Amino acid sequence: MPVYATVVRKRSALPVPLAARSSSPLLMMMEGKDLRCFWTEVPLNPRNYDVDHIVPITTYPINELWNLVPSESEFNRHLKRDRMPDLSWEPVMRQRLPHIYKLYSANPHLHQTLVRGVRHRFPQAIESAQDLSEVAIELISAVAESRNTPTFSTTL
């Protein structure tokens, strides 16, 4: 079954607890993790971060942790907004998503939240952060293509 068919079939996304969504980067910063904006690689601090939906909530309501990345507030609010990454971001996502998923998995609560969302969204067995990043990128691309959503490129 194509990945996009899975998205359509499973319309009701499991809610990620608000605390997990909004505080996961803060929690990681408090644990001493060097957290950077997923998109710009600017170091984040407790006063300068957002939790960004890779697939914007306005495009498709996926609140699962695998779709959430730490982002620089200014970039997320004024440049990315509700746009999806274009094809120029695929190599960047292949490099950065596994790192983010490993950071999430290092915290027991976030790991449990990540696993629950992955099991809900993806029917295939996912063995590693790299595997998850590949199926996530496939889904992100399928949603972008099917929804004709505005995009942004690496050359912003």
Side-chain angles (χ1 to χ4, degrees), residues 109-124:
H109 173 70
L110 295 177
H111 176 74
Q112 182 180 28
T113 303
L114 179 64
V115 168
R116 188 172 50 242
V118 167
R119 285 184 181 153
H120 173 77
R121 184 65 52 192
F122 304 107
Q124 62 270 51

Side-chain angles (χ1 to χ4, degrees), residues 22-134:
S22 62
S23 66
S24 57
L26 180 60
L27 178 63
M28 288 185 284
M29 284 182 259
M30 290 173 64
E31 290 175 342
K33 305 282 191 268
D34 176 29
L35 202 57
R36 296 177 176 273
C37 175
F38 181 79
W39 306 109
T40 66
E41 293 195 293
V42 167
L44 299 178
N45 64 62
R47 294 174 306 282
N48 177 34
Y49 80 91
D50 281 348
V51 177
D52 178 42
H53 291 77
I54 299 173
V55 175
I57 206 81
T58 56
T59 300
Y60 200 88
I62 302 173
N63 277 326
E64 296 146 4
L65 192 55
W66 64 266
N67 185 44
L68 304 175
V69 293
S71 178
E72 182 184 0
S73 297
E74 186 74 15
F75 182 84
N76 188 42
R77 295 175 189 179
H78 301 290
L79 296 171
K80 180 180 183 287
R81 299 185 318 259
D82 61 350
R83 297 184 290 169
M84 300 224 9
D86 72 6
L87 292 176
S88 69
W89 281 100
E90 279 194 29
V92 175
M93 289 192 294
R94 279 193 168 72
Q95 175 192 10
R96 295 181 190 167
L97 278 176
H99 175 71
I100 292 296
Y101 296 152
K102 286 176 187 173
L103 282 177
Y104 292 161
S105 292
N107 175 286
H109 173 70
L110 295 177
H111 176 74
Q112 182 180 28
T113 303
L114 179 64
V115 168
R116 188 172 50 242
V118 167
R119 285 184 181 153
H120 173 77
R121 184 65 52 192
F122 304 107
Q124 62 270 51
I126 295 174
E127 303 293 327
S128 68
Q130 188 65 46
D131 290 347
L132 175 55
S133 69
E134 292 301 322

Side-chain angles (χ1 to χ4, degrees), residues 1-12 60 62 121 139 143 146-147:
M1 174 182 299
V3 176
Y4 182 67
T6 303
V7 173
V8 172
R9 185 171 48 87
K10 296 183 177 186
R11 278 231 175 236
S12 62
Y60 200 88
I62 302 173
R121 184 65 52 192
L139 176 61
V143 170
S146 68
R147 296 291 174 111

